[in-house]
Amino acid sequence: MRAEGRAARLGRAFRARPVRVEAAGIYAADGTALEDLLAGRRAAPSPLPFASGWLPRAEAFAAAEPDLRSSVYDRKALRTMDKQARLALAAAITCGAGLEPFADPARVGLFMGMPTVEEPVPSWEALAELGPDPADRAAMLQTFLTSTPPMTGLILLNSTACSHVASQFGVTGPTGVFSPWADAGLQALVEAAWSIVEGDNNRALVGGAAPTLNPFLYLHYEAQGLLGQGEALPPPGEGAAFVALRGGEPEAGAAVLSGYARLFEPDPAQAAAARARCIEAALESAAVTAAEVGWVLFDPHCGRAGVAAELSALQAVFGGLPPLGAWHEAVGHLGPAQPVLNVAAAAEALGGAGRVVCDGAGRCLGRETAPLRHVLINASGFEGQFACLVMSRYEHA
Amino acid sequence: MFEHEVVITSVGLITAGARSAKELFERIKNSDSCVSVVSELEELGFDNPVAAAIDAETWKWLEAMDPAQNSDWDSPSTHLAVTAADQAMESLGLAGQPVRAGVFAASNRAPMDVGDLAELVGSLDAANECVDLDRLGRWVETKRGRQGKNRRDQSALVLADRYGFHDAVMTSEDACAAGSIAIGTAYRYIRHGELDVAIAGGTELMCEFLPFLGFNSLGMINGDSDRDPAGRCRPFDGSRHGFVLGEGSAFLVLESAEHARARGAKPLARIAGFAKQSEAGSVLASTEDGSEFARCIQAALRDAGMSPEDIDHINAHGTSTLANDAAESRAISQVFGERTAEIPVTANKSALGHALGASGAIEAILSVMSLVEGTLLPTLNYEAADPSLPSLNVVTKARPAPLKTVMSNSFGMGGENCTLILEAA
């Protein structure tokens, strides 16, 4: 693992050119807002409509369709979005409501972490029409042609989701879309911050969405072994989160990005040690000691072995488990939106909202109002991707 | 901020009709199109079953090489990516050296093929009007890696694991500009000293049932049955209407000039400039007057510290759609002014079709080879200018030309735009 070079550079850059969180917005099950999460409230999971004995935990946090008709820049655009893209746009609109207008849209970037778009074609209805014998391929084509929405080609591209947010806000700076797991959300955030540090942008919108709940999502989980014996899949949730980043001198007390590190370690036997080195690199990047970190928003969604590796790494670095936080028992795990939600929550917590502490299984232990100076946010992928971000309460030198 | 010179030291690709960059370059140089009727699409009943698809013989060749070491990842798209990337890596023997190294791989989509769809039907519980996940689960058990096929990040992870390039692993999915953006992002990382080496490029396999269905539903695929398949992709031509899908994988090894020198590697070219931008306009069509494409080109020129006079050749995005080619023509005119009618423009998609997320990487490699060989590649099927557009100097036959700089444009659906500027080493 040789991520320290970049981590050290980023930490220095963040101290020289601070990047702060200026606004946030989320869209989650039961209309849960950020303040609900920080107050310890939780949404109610619902049974999966396609549940079967195959699934060990047949419930999830489904989000209602957002009503975007009156707020979207072009109602026709809704036809080129799947649900996760619509949720992302809803979260972006909530985030944007608290923002000053963009004086220079060409220097406002947009970076998103998005899950794989699952097949909107063929619809299950179209498949059902085919019956048990799809041997007649001409009939198959005809069925699909008549049941395929005209904008399907665009729905399939994640960049379309990004384009809609760009159009909603009229932002035309550098963009980037990353995929598919939680680490992609943190990657989007750091690329956005880096674009501000480099001077390409002076502000940036960063968002992520959770994958839409459908059978294909569970095929991904199965392929990752998360539905196997002895696994404990945290309930997935539908939702999205956005934050707005801004360069320039922050006010004292603002939440700023202060350190980052990431790695890819595909060998499971090395996972705990590699994660520990990554966390240490992120803390070093931020010039922060483990003792100064008051809250760790960890990632409970990378399989039993992945979670065990992360908790082991935290114990090694912190000399025991630090105060943990996670939201999967409140709104479900939100995939690439999860770290963006964590950044939004950390910004509030650093601003004085307090922290909601949970145990290593994600069970809520209660809300605490201790002042925080630094928060660590971790995000994982299933194949050895791991990223850590340190956020800090800004104090004038 | 200290900046490093970034050079391209080797390349690798596989496309329809070509198993190496040299083979593809020679093929286009000879005006030999890679576009043909795709029998599988024809059998499915499409009335425009024309694409630049990787043929069955090439797939057999790929399978015989069996480069994928990890069977869990052995999907067609990763198989293709590994083979193309191995070409780039093998020529310089980078593997195993202790460097700060990353992978930047583009891919938009790896949809289910028609066989998957047919088998999925068996997972339906018609009596209860639902999907039988137990049956679906058993199907997955027999199709290990099938869902991985649907993962955009698969190629990046496989390459990172294969070469030990763990310091940055990214998957770009920025529509038609994704391949160029992957290269440009790697360039930025090396330029700022965060990496010494990167492998960057893209892979796309779209000549299948679902993409054809999707793009046909948008009316974007050429359906001109009066023309031979090879004549249907006609960038900038007055009679163009619609693109032809292509597929392939292309990767470039980028490294800092210091690192290349220390290894004794001879650069093929250097990357001089890069810009990526969002249009924030319509997701269906680019800004009609070309102003957004022009803004992207100008940003890349600024990044390179160059003026329009410094550019010798334009490798255009040139999709053969009415709107995109019109906007690109206007953008070239806005940026290059009086030189618009002089500067040679080529559009590789005329021979290769549009490989979407891989196209920017394929075209970057062809641009590098134009610099190395001192040869302008032809735009196939360009017969008559579009009288409604600024007159371009579209190259129609390969010809020698002393080239120092090439600009490569990639302007993606939804308004994700990218321009790379490449310079002779």
Side-chain angles (χ1 to χ4, degrees):
Chain A
M1 205 277 289
R2 296 174 57 87
E4 292 86 352
R6 177 175 170 80
R9 287 177 60 82
L10 266 176
R12 279 200 307 277
F14 285 154
R15 284 188 286 283
R17 302 186 68 174
V19 176
R20 69 183 184 276
V21 177
E22 62 169 331
I26 72 167
Y27 190 94
D30 278 359
T32 306
L34 196 53
E35 51 268 30
D36 294 325
L37 291 178
L38 290 165
R41 289 191 283 272
R42 51 170 293 178
S46 52
L48 286 170
F50 45 82
S52 80
W54 184 52
L55 295 174
R57 184 169 180 173
E59 61 180 19
F61 292 86
E65 269 290 348
D67 183 1
L68 294 166
R69 288 170 299 177
S70 59
S71 50
V72 72
Y73 70 101
D74 178 354
R75 283 178 60 168
K76 284 186 290 186
L78 294 171
R79 290 186 294 174
T80 63
M81 290 185 229
D82 63 343
K83 187 175 183 182
Q84 60 201 36
R86 292 192 291 272
L87 298 186
L89 184 57
I93 289 170
T94 304
C95 176
L99 285 174
E100 285 175 28
F102 297 122
D104 185 0
R107 287 169 61 78
V108 182
L110 173 60
F111 296 80
M112 292 173 69
M114 293 294 288
T116 297
V117 181
E118 300 301 348
E119 314 285 349
V121 282
S123 63
W124 292 109
E125 291 76 12
L127 273 175
E129 278 184 36
L130 287 171
D133 180 14
D136 183 350
R137 294 199 164 186
M140 184 173 178
L141 174 67
Q142 197 53 45
T143 302
F144 285 161
L145 281 173
T146 54
S147 64
T148 301
M151 300 298 173
T152 294
L154 290 172
I155 293 171
L156 292 174
L157 298 171
N158 255 340
S159 52
T160 303
C162 195
S163 299
H164 285 308
V165 177
S167 297
Q168 180 75 25
F169 293 95
V171 298
T172 59
T175 62
V177 187
F178 304 91
S179 183
W181 306 126
D183 62 302
L186 213 45
Q187 193 160 317
L189 185 107
V190 170
E191 292 302 312
W194 193 239
S195 79
I196 292 172
V197 168
E198 282 187 314
D200 290 342
N201 293 314
N202 49 33
R203 297 168 77 179
L205 295 168
V206 186
T212 303
L213 293 169
N214 69 24
F216 288 106
L217 176 65
Y218 285 85
L219 295 189
H220 282 297
Y221 291 156
E222 199 285 337
Q224 297 298 332
L226 295 180
L227 305 182
Q229 205 65 354
E231 279 292 344
L233 176 72
E238 289 179 323
F242 257 81
V243 295
L245 302 181
R246 186 169 198 156
E249 183 68 19
E251 291 179 1
V256 296
L257 279 56
S258 52
Y260 177 73
R262 69 170 164 216
L263 61 78
F264 172 62
E265 177 49 76
D267 181 358
Q270 302 297 321
R275 279 163 162 76
R277 287 199 303 275
C278 192
I279 293 167
E280 284 169 347
L283 295 176
E284 190 182 332
S285 161
V288 166
T289 65
E292 293 175 289
V293 174
W295 200 23
V296 178
L297 291 157
F298 78 117
D299 189 339
H301 197 253
C302 49
R304 189 177 289 279
V307 174
E310 183 175 348
L311 295 176
S312 169
L314 287 169
Q315 283 179 315
V317 174
F318 286 83
L321 274 185
L324 298 174
W327 310 113
H328 60 278
E329 293 293 336
V331 288
H333 191 275
L334 299 184
Q338 189 67 50
V340 184
L341 167 60
N342 284 340
V343 167
E348 291 294 319
L350 289 164
R355 64 191 178 196
V356 177
V357 179
C358 69
D359 64 14
R363 286 182 291 267
C364 182
L365 301 176
R367 183 169 174 271
E368 299 171 359
T369 54
L372 297 174
R373 286 188 59 205
H374 307 284
V375 176
L376 173 69
I377 296 167
N378 297 339
S380 301
F382 290 108
E383 295 87 4
Q385 309 95 316
F386 188 65
C388 311
L389 175 78
V390 181
M391 290 182 62
S392 302
R393 181 181 168 87
Y394 186 76
E395 306 293 347
H396 290 293
Chain B
M1 191 174 288
F2 182 71
E3 297 198 343
H4 299 259
E5 184 182 355
V6 181
V7 295
I8 296 164
T9 49
S10 61
V11 299
L13 68 73
I14 296 164
T15 63
R19 297 175 187 178
S20 70
K22 187 171 173 19
E23 187 179 350
L24 182 64
F25 190 80
E26 289 302 316
R27 186 161 184 167
I28 299 178
K29 193 172 151 186
N30 294 323
S31 297
D32 188 2
S33 175
C34 303
V35 177
S36 64
V37 170
V38 180
S39 58
E40 290 85 352
L41 295 172
E42 191 174 33
E43 285 166 16
L44 284 165
F46 286 105
D47 58 9
N48 57 350
V50 168
I54 293 175
D55 58 57
E57 200 174 314
T58 302
W59 280 116
K60 278 186 195 163
W61 172 76
L62 283 161
E63 283 161 17
M65 292 178 71
D66 194 25
Q69 294 179 336
N70 183 342
S71 60
D72 287 347
W73 297 107
D74 190 9
S75 71
S77 58
T78 52
H79 206 122
L80 195 64
V82 166
T83 311
D86 271 3
Q87 287 178 9
M89 295 293 288
E90 281 169 12
S91 63
L92 286 175
L94 273 171
Q97 294 197 10
V99 292
R100 292 175 303 152
V103 177
F104 300 78
S107 180
N108 286 297
R109 194 75 194 137
M112 288 188 291
D113 60 26
V114 72
D116 295 331
L117 293 175
E119 290 184 51
L120 264 179
V121 174
S123 301
L124 293 170
D125 180 348
N128 295 308
E129 296 185 340
C130 67
V131 178
D132 184 332
L133 283 181
D134 293 319
R135 267 187 258 169
L136 200 55
R138 285 194 294 276
W139 174 66
V140 171
E141 278 296 321
T142 64
K143 299 278 181 184
R144 264 296 166 196
R146 182 65 72 181
Q147 275 312 104
K149 178 177 182 266
N150 201 23
R151 288 266 306 278
R152 295 170 164 93
D153 61 331
Q154 189 180 17
S155 297
L157 296 172
V158 170
L159 297 180
D161 195 12
R162 186 173 180 79
Y163 306 132
F165 283 13
H166 292 179
D167 294 315
V169 184
M170 284 194 199
T171 300
S172 302
E173 44 178 305
D174 304 276
C176 317
S180 305
I181 287 176
I183 295 167
T185 307
Y187 154 70
R188 283 290 184 92
Y189 271 67
I190 296 171
R191 190 175 91 177
H192 295 319
E194 294 145 36
L195 297 176
D196 305 306
V197 181
I199 187 150
T203 304
E204 204 86 270
L205 288 174
M206 289 275 200
C207 297
E208 288 189 1
F209 179 75
L210 285 176
F212 236 73
L213 199 62
F215 286 117
N216 265 321
S217 75
L218 285 168
M220 296 178 87
I221 297 184
N222 182 297
D224 189 350
S225 56
D226 293 338
R227 290 194 189 275
D228 287 341
R232 292 195 186 182
C233 191
R234 316 174 63 79
F236 303 111
D237 185 77
S239 63
R240 71 191 184 280
H241 57 87
F243 69 70
V244 167
L245 274 172
E247 56 189 16
S249 179
F251 283 91
L252 303 85
V253 170
L254 277 56
E255 53 190 313
S256 68
E258 306 95 286
H259 190 266
R261 266 194 302 275
R263 299 188 313 106
K266 186 180 176 202
L268 300 171
R270 63 181 283 267
I271 300 182
F274 161 64
K276 64 172 180 176
Q277 292 178 337
S278 172
E279 287 195 26
S282 164
V283 295
L284 286 172
S286 300
T287 307
E288 197 176 340
D289 66 3
S291 58
E292 284 297 313
F293 290 178
R295 189 169 68 88
C296 185
I297 292 171
Q298 284 159 340
L301 286 168
R302 276 197 304 278
D303 189 56
M306 291 181 179
S307 68
E309 289 70 33
D310 295 317
I311 303 299
D312 294 333
H313 173 38
I314 298 172
N315 187 310
H317 186 53
T319 56
S320 180
T321 61
L322 284 169
N324 199 282
D325 287 3
E328 188 168 14
S329 300
R330 293 180 183 121
I332 291 170
S333 172
Q334 286 164 34
V335 175
F336 290 90
E338 290 179 357
R339 288 190 69 216
T340 301
E342 297 168 15
I343 187 162
V345 175
T346 195
N348 301 143
K349 292 182 184 75
S350 60
L352 276 171
H354 191 351
L356 305 169
S359 64
I362 295 168
E363 290 159 18
I365 289 176
L366 292 170
S367 298
V368 167
M369 295 189 72
S370 278
L371 286 169
V372 171
E373 301 285 332
T375 300
L376 294 168
L377 289 176
T379 303
L380 278 56
N381 308 316
Y382 181 82
E383 292 172 352
D386 182 336
S388 67
L389 298 175
S391 181
L392 303 180
N393 176 15
V394 178
V395 181
T396 55
K397 282 191 178 172
R399 64 172 192 262
L403 300 175
K404 286 185 181 170
T405 53
V406 180
M407 169 179 285
S408 180
N409 292 331
S410 297
F411 299 136
M413 268 180 281
E416 300 233 16
N417 300 331
C418 175
T419 294
L420 289 168
I421 298 177
L422 307 168
E423 193 172 21

